[in-house]
Amino acid sequence: MLNAVVFEFLKNAVLELKDIEPEDIQQDTSLEALALDSLDYVDVQVNIRKTYKVEVLPELFTSGRITTIGQLAAHIVSEASKVGAEAEEAAAS
Amino acid sequence: MKHWQFDEAHIDSWAQFSGDFNPIHFDLDKARQAGSDAVIVHGMLPLLFVKKEVGKKAAHEGMTADWLSLNCRLKSPLPRNAPHAFAIHELGGRGKFSIRSLTDPEELVRGTYTMRTPVPQENARTGMLIEAPEAIERLAQFRALFPEIDELWIAVDAMVFSYFLSSEMAYEAAKSMGMAGGATDQSTLMKQALTIQTSHAVSVCPHFAVQRLSGNPEIRQIDIRLGEPLSIKNSDSELIGSHTADVYVNGRFSMQIEIGLMLKLLN
């Protein structure tokens, strides 16, 4: 899965939530700068789970492991590939 | 910009239609116990008027060729008898809307609208089947309670939501995540947990969007098909979920409705 595709998905998800212009969201844009509130995070979490079957739990953000949109996209790509591999293994067994 | 204020009569109308008589919508002490400073309006009540205004605006903008899709986020509950401002604007090629308090800059409801054709859910199964006599009776009740709203799709959306409220879906989601505690059904769970509607999305197809209650549309059957609910355990005391219903009116895929919920276990 291409990181750029996931990044566009996240960009669109944020544009749904905030009054900002598309060019204001780049790979290195910090989540803090986007001023997402707790319900915004809930919205993003649900959308990620629906689209990529990946759970993104709050501690990823609170621990500082993910601080930018680009890092979040990379995390989803990495986790989605694991989900895909597990599904393939389950189908093969 | 429009100014709205929701009073006891509005709240009573929605409670009668939806069956939601939660005391936080009627009793200040109960509302305070739930953490609010005021009696609060049901989340779906202002959305009736939001959908009406957005539908009008979208039609004015020529957005009638494809499905109209609204996504509403309920950021904070609206207090009863307080003045609010509703506004629609465009930003970055998206239609956006919001409800703000007139006495506080806080945004209470916000959302977007666009033209987007939804995909029917795979493996969705009939959760509720409403045959003609009941559908006609419910639509007549809606029209009597909300005479200012003539759009059939808004009435059907309200009807689907009320059926959702009376179902055990929130309880089943909590149970599957091991968060139902000692609750044995939805009503006992509601005593142990605070259920908050966080979002409401609705997509309506072009032929259905133009139908009006006053035109006495022929409704033979409303088939509400539910997909697999999505649940995420956000913490030991918080569950977030999303439930999607595909709505077939007279056998035709006419609406898709998605309800976002947050369940917080009370100490």
Side-chain angles (χ1 to χ4, degrees):
Chain A
M1 189 189 314
L2 282 175
N3 188 299
V5 173
V6 180
F7 171 72
E8 277 305 310
F9 162 82
L10 289 174
K11 185 173 169 179
N12 277 312
V14 172
L15 289 171
E16 282 278 307
L17 299 169
K18 309 304 282 187
D19 279 347
I20 47 179
E21 298 287 355
E23 54 271 26
D24 292 336
I25 305 176
Q26 303 296 331
Q27 290 269 1
D28 61 353
T29 302
S30 78
L31 296 168
E32 191 179 2
L34 295 171
L36 299 172
D37 65 22
S38 57
L39 274 186
D40 294 333
Y41 276 106
V42 164
D43 209 284
V44 172
Q45 271 178 286
V46 169
N47 274 322
I48 293 170
R49 172 72 181 275
K50 251 194 300 193
T51 309
Y52 296 110
K53 318 277 185 234
V54 168
E55 274 196 23
V56 179
L57 295 174
E59 56 258 31
L60 284 171
F61 307 109
T62 53
S63 65
R65 282 176 58 196
I66 292 178
T67 59
T68 67
I69 285 276
Q71 287 171 349
L72 180 55
H75 175 79
I76 293 166
V77 170
S78 164
E79 291 299 308
S81 64
K82 290 180 198 165
V83 172
E86 281 170 14
E88 279 173 21
E89 272 176 34
S93 63
Chain B
M1 186 182 290
K2 283 185 172 285
H3 288 175
W4 292 338
Q5 186 159 316
F6 299 97
D7 61 16
E8 290 84 346
H10 289 110
I11 290 173
D12 192 55
S13 292
W14 178 255
Q16 281 189 52
F17 186 78
S18 67
D20 182 354
F21 288 92
N22 189 322
I24 60 173
H25 304 301
F26 301 92
D27 183 326
L28 182 57
D29 288 339
K30 296 286 184 190
R32 282 181 174 151
Q33 283 171 25
S36 175
D37 294 334
V39 171
I40 57 175
V41 170
H42 299 87
M44 281 293 282
L45 175 56
L47 297 191
L48 298 177
F49 299 89
V50 166
K51 284 174 276 191
K52 182 181 176 69
E53 291 304 320
V54 171
K56 271 165 51 181
K57 175 87 170 159
H60 182 70
E61 291 170 351
M63 294 169 69
T64 50
D66 201 346
W67 286 60
L68 173 65
S69 182
L70 284 84
N71 204 340
C72 311
R73 275 95 184 178
L74 305 166
K75 311 288 278 185
S76 293
L78 274 65
R80 185 180 69 185
N81 289 327
H84 297 100
F86 169 76
I88 304 184
H89 67 285
E90 191 269 340
L91 185 74
R94 288 160 198 268
K96 299 200 167 195
F97 55 84
S98 65
I99 300 178
R100 290 174 190 274
S101 164
L102 281 185
T103 54
D104 184 328
E106 188 187 5
E107 205 171 49
L108 305 172
V109 175
R110 66 173 293 133
T112 55
Y113 65 99
T114 184
M115 287 202 294
R116 182 186 68 87
T117 305
V119 178
Q121 302 173 93
E122 282 179 30
N123 306 321
R125 288 178 298 181
T126 296
M128 300 146 206
L129 196 62
I130 308 168
E131 301 289 356
E134 186 185 355
I136 291 164
E137 186 185 325
R138 294 285 281 147
L139 293 173
Q141 184 194 16
F142 183 89
R143 204 168 170 211
L145 291 167
F146 302 101
E148 59 275 67
I149 295 174
D150 196 25
E151 290 79 355
L152 175 62
W153 66 277
I154 300 177
V156 171
D157 183 35
M159 196 191 294
V160 172
F161 183 81
S162 70
Y163 280 99
F164 173 79
L165 272 188
S166 65
S167 76
E168 294 282 313
M169 288 169 69
Y171 167 70
E172 291 297 337
K175 193 175 153 191
S176 72
M177 302 298 280
M179 293 181 70
T184 52
D185 56 22
Q186 189 136 317
S187 67
T188 50
L189 177 67
M190 293 305 112
K191 291 174 185 146
Q192 300 172 18
L194 187 62
T195 309
I196 303 160
Q197 189 187 358
T198 55
S199 64
H200 188 86
V202 54
S203 299
V204 56
C205 78
H207 93 276
F208 200 61
V210 295
Q211 294 195 44
R212 297 291 176 265
L213 291 165
S214 56
N216 295 316
E218 185 189 6
I219 304 290
R220 297 187 301 278
Q221 187 188 69
I222 301 174
D223 182 359
I224 304 168
R225 298 185 194 171
L226 305 170
E228 200 59 40
L230 185 154
S231 302
I232 302 171
K233 192 173 182 177
N234 218 18
S235 71
D236 287 342
S237 62
E238 196 174 284
L239 178 71
I240 54 179
S242 173
H243 302 260
T244 304
D246 294 342
V247 182
Y248 289 75
V249 179
N250 300 341
R252 185 171 177 177
F253 182 38
S254 301
M255 298 175 73
Q256 188 172 74
I257 296 166
E258 187 180 328
I259 296 163
L261 289 179
M262 180 185 284
L263 197 121
K264 287 185 174 182
L265 294 179
L266 301 170
N267 293 325

